[in-house]
Every structure is written in C-alpha cells, then in structure tokens.
C-alpha cells in the first residue's frame, strides 16, 4: 500500500497525495506541479484530460486488446504504461525516466507491474534501441517543468522514426501557452519527419486563452 509523503528527487521535490474521492487514487507531483495520477485498482482511469487524449490515440494505434511493443520516454508515475498493461494484456513495455530518485519512489510506492522501468536519458536510449522494434513511442519528457531541448529537434524525431516499425505511432506531450509559438514549431518539426501529424488540445489552449498541454 502506498504511503503519502514527500521525497527529494533529482529534479526537485516529489509528493504523493492520496485522493479522498477514489480509494486507490494517487496524485504524484514534482515541485508542486501535478505530474501523474494513478488509480491502482483501475489503471484504465485517466484523470488528466491530456492523458486521456494520449490514451485515445493509443486505443486507435492497434485493434482492441492487441498487445503492442511500446517505448515510453519519460515516466513519472507511469499512468500510460499501466493503462496499456490493462487494456492490451501481454504488451511489451519499457519506460525510460531520467530521474533516478523518482524511479525509486515509483517502484517502492506504486509498483511496476506490466512494464519495465529504467533510468536513463530519453535521447541516449533512442540511440541504443533496436531499429524497427516499437509499435508505439510515447514522449512525455520533462526535467522539472521544462522540456529538454535535445528532445525537441528533428534529429530526436529521426531517432524516434528509427525505433518504430513501419506504420507505428508516435505520441508526444508538450506544454505551451499563448501565442503557442513552441507548439507551432514542434508541429512543424514533426511534419518534417512524418507524413501525417495531428495536434490535440483543449479548446481554451488552442484559442490561446491559457497555458496547457498539447498532444502531437
């Protein structure tokens, strides 16, 4: 059973908070910013809207319940690996998280059933994975509240393409606010690497009214 608490991690302070409304629900925050939500009794529950958007894309990436080989770049509390393990039993999943101390907290408090959780840099991992081995690559890479610059380039996306099988799916989460200059630049970078690109966000974010998550 997880225990609420705070821990010093590589990129600041992590806190695990119990959800009073869901008995097995836990919120993981880093430096006071909500990072992941995990329901240990129902991993198909995706609390955050942007995570639900990513989940919807994953649902369409292969026929229902068909196992996939997935590489997750950035892990946190591993909401999406848990979702895939529940909705696509038998999937092979590797999660790469740069914060080694956060990995210790997640392993100890939330467990890692249905996936392998590894410590490492996302780009360095991409350089070493077997070419054409992944059906799905999910990039949700943050160092604190910032997206590492070396994970925003065309060269990074070329490594993603190398890791994916033909017809595979790449999903990236980024954060941006008005006037969405970063999201637009990232969309342009993806269009240089992939034939088909879709951008998803809440209407208020797309209209430039507030900061939020953008899923590519």
């Amino acid at each position: 059973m997880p225990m609420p608490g705070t821990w010093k991690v590589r990129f600041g302070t992590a806190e695990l908070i119990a959800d009073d409304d869901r008995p097995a629900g836990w919120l993981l925050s880093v430096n006071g910013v909500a990072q992941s939500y995990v329901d240990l009794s129902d991993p198909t529950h995706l609390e955050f809207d942007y995570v639900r958007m990513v989940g919807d894309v994953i649902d369409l990436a292969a026929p229902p319940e068909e196992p996939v080989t997935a590489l997750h770049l950035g892990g946190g509390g591993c909401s999406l690996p848990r979702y895939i393990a529940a909705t696509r039993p038998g999937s092979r999943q590797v999660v790469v998280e740069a914060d080694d101390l956060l990995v210790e907290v997640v392993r100890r408090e939330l467990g890692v059933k249905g996936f392998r959780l590894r410590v490492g840099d996302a780009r360095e991992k991409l350089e070493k994975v077997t070419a054409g081995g992944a059906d799905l690559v999910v990039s949700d890479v943050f160092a604190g509240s910032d997206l590492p610059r070396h994970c925003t380039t065309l060269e990074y996306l070329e490594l993603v393409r190398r890791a994916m099988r033909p017809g595979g799916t790449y999903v990236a989460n980024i954060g941006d606010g008005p006037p969405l200059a970063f999201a637009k630049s990232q969309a342009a970078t993806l269009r240089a690497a992939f034939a088909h690109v879709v951008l998803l966000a809440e209407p208020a974010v797309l209209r430039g009214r507030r900061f939020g998550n953008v899923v590519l």
Side-chain angles (χ1 to χ4, degrees):
M1 181 70 179
M3 291 293 294
T6 59
W7 299 268
K8 286 293 183 184
V9 293
R10 187 68 56 196
F11 299 118
T13 301
E15 183 176 10
L16 196 59
I17 305 167
D19 185 348
D20 292 336
D21 296 325
R22 297 182 70 91
W26 294 88
L27 176 68
L28 175 67
S29 69
V30 178
N31 297 331
V33 178
Q35 205 276 352
S36 300
Y37 182 96
V38 174
D39 188 323
L40 294 175
S41 66
D42 181 12
T44 66
H45 175 74
L46 301 178
E47 179 78 5
F48 301 152
D49 288 338
Y50 85 90
V51 180
R52 180 66 264 176
M53 291 179 190
V54 177
D56 290 342
V57 174
I58 292 171
D59 289 345
L60 297 171
E65 299 186 4
E66 180 177 294
V68 296
T69 299
L71 174 63
H72 301 264
L73 304 170
C78 302
S79 304
L80 288 166
R82 299 176 199 276
Y83 178 79
I84 292 175
T87 58
R88 299 180 178 277
S91 293
R92 298 173 59 192
Q93 300 189 82
V94 174
V95 183
V96 181
E97 168 59 54
D99 193 323
D100 55 331
L101 300 179
L102 182 60
V103 165
E104 291 179 8
V105 172
V106 171
R107 282 177 175 161
R108 182 180 65 250
E109 301 296 334
L110 299 176
V112 291
K113 185 178 180 180
F115 55 91
R116 291 180 290 161
L117 181 56
R118 299 287 182 262
V119 176
D121 176 81
R123 182 154 176 168
E124 290 178 2
K125 178 63 176 178
L126 279 173
E127 293 173 349
K128 297 175 182 177
V129 298
T130 302
D135 300 304
L136 173 71
V137 178
V138 180
S139 184
D140 194 2
V141 184
F142 286 86
S145 60
D146 298 322
L147 186 63
R149 190 174 186 85
H150 71 295
C151 295
T152 64
T153 64
L154 182 59
E155 290 77 14
Y156 178 78
L157 293 179
E158 292 296 340
L159 290 171
V160 169
R161 285 188 60 183
R162 173 184 170 275
M164 289 166 50
R165 65 164 179 79
T169 301
Y170 172 61
V171 192
N173 170 52
I174 64 173
D176 201 11
L180 296 178
F182 180 60
K184 291 173 183 176
S185 70
Q186 282 296 283
T189 304
L190 261 74
R191 290 188 66 190
F194 296 100
H196 307 285
V197 178
V198 176
L199 185 149
L200 304 171
E202 294 181 29
V205 176
L206 285 177
R207 292 169 183 161
R209 294 179 180 172
R210 65 174 179 81
F211 184 92
N213 295 87
V214 176
V215 174
L216 294 163

